């Protein structure tokens, strides 16, 4: 993979977070994506979210598959762990890593080709099982890296750069995620950092998969009239159901005086998601209603964004599998190999 290192110097007055880190400490190498690619804006939102959350970069593990989107972990969190897997297999690798070491924060990045085509079963099982991770899908409706073929999320009738109309029904990963039992389901737009950054922060504090489908226009192959994943289309058809903020327990809770009702969802770790409702009827904790709302938006050509569904304390795969608290790599010989008597007892229990 080609990459260009960024120069190390920065302005001495750059603000620092509680760990004493500036934004620069959360950056990676210089991006080699096309100028204006939506994926770069998502990388910037991830950097902002991690900086605001005071995350120690060495506690984050970036996981990805193959595609322009999956290249992006090189461009943020340069001091974190990373695993660039094969096409569509990011969720499987993240599942294994999460079971072996529940101490790290897993941040998965995938594309619509990566997750909705070759990796669809991996996407489905990861969400169904509730792997504790943030799963960001950078959705441009095309295979950007291989020059703009329609992906499985391209809308029916969407027109390619060459003027060809897509004849197939799209897979809506948001509806699918809700049906599969995912417990934090959001959609956003790469061009809306104000919405995306709090959504990422909320996903990082969620137990289980924090899934965010981010519409991310491909300026090279899918940003023309006729595309439903272009900057112009999403700006004209975006309908945000809520405005979101994340309050962490240690911070002072400030009163939001803006008009509109505010709903607070307390997550398992005590952090509070504050949802300012724009649509007064929208309840993100009602799973069936959320599904109906998303489907209705799709039917009338609206891109519904915001936190669409959340279950505040669902438990995760580690809880259900009773995995050890300490990372496997920290266990000694005695714990890893308890001897033939223990093995006999296990075998006897299975007979
Ligand atoms: C097993 C396998 N099949 C096909 C490919 C070719 N390939 C590379 S990236 C890609 C699609 C990427 O699309 P997407 O996940 O949407 O990422 P984008 O580039 O649009 O961000 C394909 C088909 C591959 N690398 N490996
Ligand atoms: S081809 Fe598309 S997705 Fe890939 S870097 Fe260029 S604009 Fe981004
Ligand atoms: Mg794509």
């Amino acid at each position: 993979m080609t990459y260009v290192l960024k120069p190390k110097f920065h302005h001495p007055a750059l603000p620092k977070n509680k760990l004493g880190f500036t934004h620069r400490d959360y950056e990676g190498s210089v991006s080699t994506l096309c100028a204006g690619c939506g994926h770069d804006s998502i990388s910037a939102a991830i950097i902002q979210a991690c900086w605001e959350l005071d995350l120690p970069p060495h506690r984050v593990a970036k996981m990805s598959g193959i595609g322009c989107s999956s290249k992006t972990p090189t461009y943020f969190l340069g001091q974190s762990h990373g695993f660039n897997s094969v096409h569509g297999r990011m969720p499987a690798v993240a599942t294994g890593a999460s079971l072996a070491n529940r101490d790290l924060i897993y941040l998965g990045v995938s594309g619509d080709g990566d997750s909705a085509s070759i990796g669809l079963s991996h996407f489905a099982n990861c969400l169904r099982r509730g792997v504790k991770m943030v799963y960001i899908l950078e959705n441009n409706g095309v295979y950007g890296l291989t020059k703009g073929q329609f992906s499985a999320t391209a809308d029916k009738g969407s027109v390619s750069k060459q003027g060809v109309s897509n004849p197939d029904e799209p897979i809506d990963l948001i509806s699918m995620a809700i049906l599969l039992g995912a417990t934090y389901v959001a959609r956003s737009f790469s061009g809306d950092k104000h919405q995306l950054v709090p959504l990422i922060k909320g996903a990082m504090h969620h137990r289980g998969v924090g899934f965010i489908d981010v519409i991310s226009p491909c300026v090279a192959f899918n940003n023309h009239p006729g595309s439903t994943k272009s900057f112009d289309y999403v700006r004209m058809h975006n309908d945000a159901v809520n405005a979101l903020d994340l309050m962490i327990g240690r911070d002072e809770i400030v009163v939001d005086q803006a008009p509109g009702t505010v709903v607070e969802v307390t997550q398992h770790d005590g952090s509070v998601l504050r949802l300012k409702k724009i649509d007064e009827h929208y309840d993100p904790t009602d799973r069936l209603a959320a599904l109906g709302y998303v489907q209705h938006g799709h039917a009338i050509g609206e891109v519904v964004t915001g936190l669409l569904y959340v279950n505040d304390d669902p438990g995760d795969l580690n809880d259900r599998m009773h995995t050890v608290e300490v990372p496997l790599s920290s266990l000694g010989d005695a714990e890893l190999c308890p001897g033939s008597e223990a093995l006999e007892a296990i075998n006897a229990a299975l007979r």
Side-chain angles (χ1 to χ4, degrees), residues 210-229:
F211 174 63
I212 313 176
D213 175 24
V214 190
I215 308 298
S216 175
C218 168
V219 290
F221 300 109
N222 208 12
N223 191 37
H224 46 268
S227 159
T228 56
K229 301 270 190 287

mmCIF file with all atom_site columns, all heavy atoms in Angstrom, residues 210-229:
data_model
loop_
_atom_site.group_PDB
_atom_site.id
_atom_site.type_symbol
_atom_site.label_atom_id
_atom_site.label_alt_id
_atom_site.label_comp_id
_atom_site.label_asym_id
_atom_site.label_entity_id
_atom_site.label_seq_id
_atom_site.pdbx_PDB_ins_code
_atom_site.Cartn_x
_atom_site.Cartn_y
_atom_site.Cartn_z
_atom_site.occupancy
_atom_site.B_iso_or_equiv
_atom_site.pdbx_formal_charge
_atom_site.auth_seq_id
_atom_site.auth_comp_id
_atom_site.auth_asym_id
_atom_site.auth_atom_id
_atom_site.pdbx_PDB_model_num
ATOM 1   N N   . GLY A 1 210 ? -21.854 -0.932 17.168  1.00 0.00 ? 210 GLY A N   1
ATOM 2   C CA  . GLY A 1 210 ? -22.362 0.389  16.853  1.00 0.00 ? 210 GLY A CA  1
ATOM 3   C C   . GLY A 1 210 ? -22.238 0.544  15.350  1.00 0.00 ? 210 GLY A C   1
ATOM 4   O O   . GLY A 1 210 ? -21.151 0.815  14.831  1.00 0.00 ? 210 GLY A O   1
ATOM 5   N N   . PHE A 1 211 ? -23.346 0.324  14.634  1.00 0.00 ? 211 PHE A N   1
ATOM 6   C CA  . PHE A 1 211 ? -23.280 0.313  13.163  1.00 0.00 ? 211 PHE A CA  1
ATOM 7   C C   . PHE A 1 211 ? -23.686 1.675  12.596  1.00 0.00 ? 211 PHE A C   1
ATOM 8   O O   . PHE A 1 211 ? -24.768 2.183  12.907  1.00 0.00 ? 211 PHE A O   1
ATOM 9   C CB  . PHE A 1 211 ? -24.191 -0.786 12.602  1.00 0.00 ? 211 PHE A CB  1
ATOM 10  C CG  . PHE A 1 211 ? -24.276 -0.768 11.105  1.00 0.00 ? 211 PHE A CG  1
ATOM 11  C CD1 . PHE A 1 211 ? -23.143 -0.991 10.321  1.00 0.00 ? 211 PHE A CD1 1
ATOM 12  C CD2 . PHE A 1 211 ? -25.480 -0.508 10.454  1.00 0.00 ? 211 PHE A CD2 1
ATOM 13  C CE1 . PHE A 1 211 ? -23.213 -0.950 8.929   1.00 0.00 ? 211 PHE A CE1 1
ATOM 14  C CE2 . PHE A 1 211 ? -25.560 -0.470 9.069   1.00 0.00 ? 211 PHE A CE2 1
ATOM 15  C CZ  . PHE A 1 211 ? -24.416 -0.693 8.307   1.00 0.00 ? 211 PHE A CZ  1
ATOM 16  N N   . ILE A 1 212 ? -22.815 2.255  11.764  1.00 0.00 ? 212 ILE A N   1
ATOM 17  C CA  . ILE A 1 212 ? -23.138 3.543  11.128  1.00 0.00 ? 212 ILE A CA  1
ATOM 18  C C   . ILE A 1 212 ? -22.933 3.421  9.617   1.00 0.00 ? 212 ILE A C   1
ATOM 19  O O   . ILE A 1 212 ? -21.825 3.159  9.142   1.00 0.00 ? 212 ILE A O   1
ATOM 20  C CB  . ILE A 1 212 ? -22.251 4.697  11.667  1.00 0.00 ? 212 ILE A CB  1
ATOM 21  C CG1 . ILE A 1 212 ? -22.189 4.673  13.201  1.00 0.00 ? 212 ILE A CG1 1
ATOM 22  C CG2 . ILE A 1 212 ? -22.801 6.039  11.184  1.00 0.00 ? 212 ILE A CG2 1
ATOM 23  C CD1 . ILE A 1 212 ? -21.252 5.713  13.797  1.00 0.00 ? 212 ILE A CD1 1
ATOM 24  N N   . ASP A 1 213 ? -24.027 3.581  8.895   1.00 0.00 ? 213 ASP A N   1
ATOM 25  C CA  . ASP A 1 213 ? -23.990 3.571  7.427   1.00 0.00 ? 213 ASP A CA  1
ATOM 26  C C   . ASP A 1 213 ? -23.783 5.031  6.997   1.00 0.00 ? 213 ASP A C   1
ATOM 27  O O   . ASP A 1 213 ? -24.663 5.862  7.212   1.00 0.00 ? 213 ASP A O   1
ATOM 28  C CB  . ASP A 1 213 ? -25.343 3.037  6.933   1.00 0.00 ? 213 ASP A CB  1
ATOM 29  C CG  . ASP A 1 213 ? -25.502 3.083  5.421   1.00 0.00 ? 213 ASP A CG  1
ATOM 30  O OD1 . ASP A 1 213 ? -24.477 3.087  4.709   1.00 0.00 ? 213 ASP A OD1 1
ATOM 31  O OD2 . ASP A 1 213 ? -26.663 3.114  4.953   1.00 0.00 ? 213 ASP A OD2 1
ATOM 32  N N   . VAL A 1 214 ? -22.615 5.330  6.439   1.00 0.00 ? 214 VAL A N   1
ATOM 33  C CA  . VAL A 1 214 ? -22.330 6.727  6.089   1.00 0.00 ? 214 VAL A CA  1
ATOM 34  C C   . VAL A 1 214 ? -22.345 6.879  4.563   1.00 0.00 ? 214 VAL A C   1
ATOM 35  O O   . VAL A 1 214 ? -21.506 6.277  3.868   1.00 0.00 ? 214 VAL A O   1
ATOM 36  C CB  . VAL A 1 214 ? -20.952 7.191  6.627   1.00 0.00 ? 214 VAL A CB  1
ATOM 37  C CG1 . VAL A 1 214 ? -20.813 8.701  6.461   1.00 0.00 ? 214 VAL A CG1 1
ATOM 38  C CG2 . VAL A 1 214 ? -20.760 6.800  8.081   1.00 0.00 ? 214 VAL A CG2 1
ATOM 39  N N   . ILE A 1 215 ? -23.300 7.656  4.050   1.00 0.00 ? 215 ILE A N   1
ATOM 40  C CA  . ILE A 1 215 ? -23.317 7.915  2.609   1.00 0.00 ? 215 ILE A CA  1
ATOM 41  C C   . ILE A 1 215 ? -22.093 8.774  2.302   1.00 0.00 ? 215 ILE A C   1
ATOM 42  O O   . ILE A 1 215 ? -21.893 9.846  2.893   1.00 0.00 ? 215 ILE A O   1
ATOM 43  C CB  . ILE A 1 215 ? -24.599 8.665  2.179   1.00 0.00 ? 215 ILE A CB  1
ATOM 44  C CG1 . ILE A 1 215 ? -25.865 7.949  2.690   1.00 0.00 ? 215 ILE A CG1 1
ATOM 45  C CG2 . ILE A 1 215 ? -24.637 8.825  0.653   1.00 0.00 ? 215 ILE A CG2 1
ATOM 46  C CD1 . ILE A 1 215 ? -26.091 6.572  2.176   1.00 0.00 ? 215 ILE A CD1 1
ATOM 47  N N   . SER A 1 216 ? -21.255 8.285  1.381   1.00 0.00 ? 216 SER A N   1
ATOM 48  C CA  . SER A 1 216 ? -19.940 8.881  1.172   1.00 0.00 ? 216 SER A CA  1
ATOM 49  C C   . SER A 1 216 ? -19.647 8.972  -0.332  1.00 0.00 ? 216 SER A C   1
ATOM 50  O O   . SER A 1 216 ? -19.126 8.019  -0.920  1.00 0.00 ? 216 SER A O   1
ATOM 51  C CB  . SER A 1 216 ? -18.896 7.989  1.875   1.00 0.00 ? 216 SER A CB  1
ATOM 52  O OG  . SER A 1 216 ? -17.597 8.427  1.624   1.00 0.00 ? 216 SER A OG  1
ATOM 53  N N   . PRO A 1 217 ? -20.029 10.082 -0.967  1.00 0.00 ? 217 PRO A N   1
ATOM 54  C CA  . PRO A 1 217 ? -19.937 10.141 -2.433  1.00 0.00 ? 217 PRO A CA  1
ATOM 55  C C   . PRO A 1 217 ? -18.544 9.848  -2.994  1.00 0.00 ? 217 PRO A C   1
ATOM 56  O O   . PRO A 1 217 ? -17.534 10.304 -2.473  1.00 0.00 ? 217 PRO A O   1
ATOM 57  C CB  . PRO A 1 217 ? -20.363 11.583 -2.743  1.00 0.00 ? 217 PRO A CB  1
ATOM 58  C CG  . PRO A 1 217 ? -21.237 11.966 -1.589  1.00 0.00 ? 217 PRO A CG  1
ATOM 59  C CD  . PRO A 1 217 ? -20.620 11.295 -0.389  1.00 0.00 ? 217 PRO A CD  1
ATOM 60  N N   . CYS A 1 218 ? -18.550 9.033  -4.059  1.00 0.00 ? 218 CYS A N   1
ATOM 61  C CA  . CYS A 1 218 ? -17.312 8.739  -4.801  1.00 0.00 ? 218 CYS A CA  1
ATOM 62  C C   . CYS A 1 218 ? -17.209 9.793  -5.904  1.00 0.00 ? 218 CYS A C   1
ATOM 63  O O   . CYS A 1 218 ? -17.992 9.757  -6.865  1.00 0.00 ? 218 CYS A O   1
ATOM 64  C CB  . CYS A 1 218 ? -17.401 7.337  -5.400  1.00 0.00 ? 218 CYS A CB  1
ATOM 65  S SG  . CYS A 1 218 ? -16.122 6.965  -6.610  1.00 0.00 ? 218 CYS A SG  1
ATOM 66  N N   . VAL A 1 219 ? -16.303 10.746 -5.746  1.00 0.00 ? 219 VAL A N   1
ATOM 67  C CA  . VAL A 1 219 ? -16.258 11.850 -6.715  1.00 0.00 ? 219 VAL A CA  1
ATOM 68  C C   . VAL A 1 219 ? -15.768 11.399 -8.085  1.00 0.00 ? 219 VAL A C   1
ATOM 69  O O   . VAL A 1 219 ? -16.028 12.045 -9.091  1.00 0.00 ? 219 VAL A O   1
ATOM 70  C CB  . VAL A 1 219 ? -15.393 13.034 -6.202  1.00 0.00 ? 219 VAL A CB  1
ATOM 71  C CG1 . VAL A 1 219 ? -16.078 13.752 -5.051  1.00 0.00 ? 219 VAL A CG1 1
ATOM 72  C CG2 . VAL A 1 219 ? -13.995 12.591 -5.811  1.00 0.00 ? 219 VAL A CG2 1
ATOM 73  N N   . ALA A 1 220 ? -15.078 10.257 -8.135  1.00 0.00 ? 220 ALA A N   1
ATOM 74  C CA  . ALA A 1 220 ? -14.556 9.791  -9.423  1.00 0.00 ? 220 ALA A CA  1
ATOM 75  C C   . ALA A 1 220 ? -15.623 9.064  -10.245 1.00 0.00 ? 220 ALA A C   1
ATOM 76  O O   . ALA A 1 220 ? -15.685 9.220  -11.457 1.00 0.00 ? 220 ALA A O   1
ATOM 77  C CB  . ALA A 1 220 ? -13.360 8.870  -9.189  1.00 0.00 ? 220 ALA A CB  1
ATOM 78  N N   . PHE A 1 221 ? -16.495 8.270  -9.562  1.00 0.00 ? 221 PHE A N   1
ATOM 79  C CA  . PHE A 1 221 ? -17.405 7.416  -10.335 1.00 0.00 ? 221 PHE A CA  1
ATOM 80  C C   . PHE A 1 221 ? -18.886 7.549  -9.984  1.00 0.00 ? 221 PHE A C   1
ATOM 81  O O   . PHE A 1 221 ? -19.736 6.961  -10.644 1.00 0.00 ? 221 PHE A O   1
ATOM 82  C CB  . PHE A 1 221 ? -17.002 5.935  -10.167 1.00 0.00 ? 221 PHE A CB  1
ATOM 83  C CG  . PHE A 1 221 ? -15.612 5.653  -10.646 1.00 0.00 ? 221 PHE A CG  1
ATOM 84  C CD1 . PHE A 1 221 ? -14.605 5.383  -9.737  1.00 0.00 ? 221 PHE A CD1 1
ATOM 85  C CD2 . PHE A 1 221 ? -15.289 5.697  -11.996 1.00 0.00 ? 221 PHE A CD2 1
ATOM 86  C CE1 . PHE A 1 221 ? -13.312 5.140  -10.170 1.00 0.00 ? 221 PHE A CE1 1
ATOM 87  C CE2 . PHE A 1 221 ? -14.002 5.461  -12.439 1.00 0.00 ? 221 PHE A CE2 1
ATOM 88  C CZ  . PHE A 1 221 ? -13.000 5.188  -11.524 1.00 0.00 ? 221 PHE A CZ  1
ATOM 89  N N   . ASN A 1 222 ? -19.233 8.284  -8.915  1.00 0.00 ? 222 ASN A N   1
ATOM 90  C CA  . ASN A 1 222 ? -20.660 8.301  -8.551  1.00 0.00 ? 222 ASN A CA  1
ATOM 91  C C   . ASN A 1 222 ? -21.065 9.638  -7.920  1.00 0.00 ? 222 ASN A C   1
ATOM 92  O O   . ASN A 1 222 ? -21.670 9.655  -6.858  1.00 0.00 ? 222 ASN A O   1
ATOM 93  C CB  . ASN A 1 222 ? -20.960 7.145  -7.586  1.00 0.00 ? 222 ASN A CB  1
ATOM 94  C CG  . ASN A 1 222 ? -22.404 6.670  -7.701  1.00 0.00 ? 222 ASN A CG  1
ATOM 95  O OD1 . ASN A 1 222 ? -23.117 7.042  -8.641  1.00 0.00 ? 222 ASN A OD1 1
ATOM 96  N ND2 . ASN A 1 222 ? -22.852 5.880  -6.750  1.00 0.00 ? 222 ASN A ND2 1
ATOM 97  N N   . ASN A 1 223 ? -20.780 10.725 -8.623  1.00 0.00 ? 223 ASN A N   1
ATOM 98  C CA  . ASN A 1 223 ? -21.147 12.039 -8.094  1.00 0.00 ? 223 ASN A CA  1
ATOM 99  C C   . ASN A 1 223 ? -21.705 12.926 -9.207  1.00 0.00 ? 223 ASN A C   1
ATOM 100 O O   . ASN A 1 223 ? -21.340 14.069 -9.357  1.00 0.00 ? 223 ASN A O   1
ATOM 101 C CB  . ASN A 1 223 ? -19.904 12.699 -7.464  1.00 0.00 ? 223 ASN A CB  1
ATOM 102 C CG  . ASN A 1 223 ? -20.261 13.938 -6.663  1.00 0.00 ? 223 ASN A CG  1
ATOM 103 O OD1 . ASN A 1 223 ? -21.296 13.988 -6.010  1.00 0.00 ? 223 ASN A OD1 1
ATOM 104 N ND2 . ASN A 1 223 ? -19.415 14.963 -6.733  1.00 0.00 ? 223 ASN A ND2 1
ATOM 105 N N   . HIS A 1 224 ? -22.606 12.315 -9.998  1.00 0.00 ? 224 HIS A N   1
ATOM 106 C CA  . HIS A 1 224 ? -23.133 13.014 -11.176 1.00 0.00 ? 224 HIS A CA  1
ATOM 107 C C   . HIS A 1 224 ? -24.657 13.019 -11.095 1.00 0.00 ? 224 HIS A C   1
ATOM 108 O O   . HIS A 1 224 ? -25.241 12.269 -10.315 1.00 0.00 ? 224 HIS A O   1
ATOM 109 C CB  . HIS A 1 224 ? -22.669 12.277 -12.450 1.00 0.00 ? 224 HIS A CB  1
ATOM 110 C CG  . HIS A 1 224 ? -22.871 10.800 -12.318 1.00 0.00 ? 224 HIS A CG  1
ATOM 111 N ND1 . HIS A 1 224 ? -21.891 9.962  -11.842 1.00 0.00 ? 224 HIS A ND1 1
ATOM 112 C CD2 . HIS A 1 224 ? -23.971 10.031 -12.524 1.00 0.00 ? 224 HIS A CD2 1
ATOM 113 C CE1 . HIS A 1 224 ? -22.368 8.725  -11.770 1.00 0.00 ? 224 HIS A CE1 1
ATOM 114 N NE2 . HIS A 1 224 ? -23.621 8.734  -12.176 1.00 0.00 ? 224 HIS A NE2 1
ATOM 115 N N   . PRO A 1 225 ? -25.341 13.836 -11.908 1.00 0.00 ? 225 PRO A N   1
ATOM 116 C CA  . PRO A 1 225 ? -26.811 13.805 -11.899 1.00 0.00 ? 225 PRO A CA  1
ATOM 117 C C   . PRO A 1 225 ? -27.272 12.382 -12.260 1.00 0.00 ? 225 PRO A C   1
ATOM 118 O O   . PRO A 1 225 ? -26.728 11.766 -13.158 1.00 0.00 ? 225 PRO A O   1
ATOM 119 C CB  . PRO A 1 225 ? -27.203 14.791 -13.010 1.00 0.00 ? 225 PRO A CB  1
ATOM 120 C CG  . PRO A 1 225 ? -25.994 15.651 -13.199 1.00 0.00 ? 225 PRO A CG  1
ATOM 121 C CD  . PRO A 1 225 ? -24.794 14.820 -12.848 1.00 0.00 ? 225 PRO A CD  1
ATOM 122 N N   . GLY A 1 226 ? -28.233 11.854 -11.539 1.00 0.00 ? 226 GLY A N   1
ATOM 123 C CA  . GLY A 1 226 ? -28.683 10.477 -11.808 1.00 0.00 ? 226 GLY A CA  1
ATOM 124 C C   . GLY A 1 226 ? -28.213 9.539  -10.715 1.00 0.00 ? 226 GLY A C   1
ATOM 125 O O   . GLY A 1 226 ? -28.788 8.479  -10.497 1.00 0.00 ? 226 GLY A O   1
ATOM 126 N N   . SER A 1 227 ? -27.156 9.909  -10.005 1.00 0.00 ? 227 SER A N   1
ATOM 127 C CA  . SER A 1 227 ? -26.678 9.085  -8.896  1.00 0.00 ? 227 SER A CA  1
ATOM 128 C C   . SER A 1 227 ? -27.459 9.450  -7.642  1.00 0.00 ? 227 SER A C   1
ATOM 129 O O   . SER A 1 227 ? -27.720 10.627 -7.381  1.00 0.00 ? 227 SER A O   1
ATOM 130 C CB  . SER A 1 227 ? -25.195 9.346  -8.659  1.00 0.00 ? 227 SER A CB  1
ATOM 131 O OG  . SER A 1 227 ? -24.836 8.952  -7.350  1.00 0.00 ? 227 SER A OG  1
ATOM 132 N N   . THR A 1 228 ? -27.840 8.444  -6.847  1.00 0.00 ? 228 THR A N   1
ATOM 133 C CA  . THR A 1 228 ? -28.529 8.733  -5.583  1.00 0.00 ? 228 THR A CA  1
ATOM 134 C C   . THR A 1 228 ? -27.561 8.717  -4.409  1.00 0.00 ? 228 THR A C   1
ATOM 135 O O   . THR A 1 228 ? -27.961 8.760  -3.259  1.00 0.00 ? 228 THR A O   1
ATOM 136 C CB  . THR A 1 228 ? -29.655 7.709  -5.317  1.00 0.00 ? 228 THR A CB  1
ATOM 137 O OG1 . THR A 1 228 ? -29.087 6.400  -5.344  1.00 0.00 ? 228 THR A OG1 1
ATOM 138 C CG2 . THR A 1 228 ? -30.753 7.823  -6.358  1.00 0.00 ? 228 THR A CG2 1
ATOM 139 N N   . LYS A 1 229 ? -26.247 8.652  -4.690  1.00 0.00 ? 229 LYS A N   1
ATOM 140 C CA  . LYS A 1 229 ? -25.245 8.718  -3.618  1.00 0.00 ? 229 LYS A CA  1
ATOM 141 C C   . LYS A 1 229 ? -24.303 9.906  -3.870  1.00 0.00 ? 229 LYS A C   1
ATOM 142 O O   . LYS A 1 229 ? -23.166 9.907  -3.441  1.00 0.00 ? 229 LYS A O   1
ATOM 143 C CB  . LYS A 1 229 ? -24.426 7.424  -3.576  1.00 0.00 ? 229 LYS A CB  1
ATOM 144 C CG  . LYS A 1 229 ? -25.230 6.151  -3.356  1.00 0.00 ? 229 LYS A CG  1
ATOM 145 C CD  . LYS A 1 229 ? -25.377 5.819  -1.878  1.00 0.00 ? 229 LYS A CD  1
ATOM 146 C CE  . LYS A 1 229 ? -25.950 4.436  -1.640  1.00 0.00 ? 229 LYS A CE  1
ATOM 147 N NZ  . LYS A 1 229 ? -27.391 4.327  -1.940  1.00 0.00 ? 229 LYS A NZ  1
#
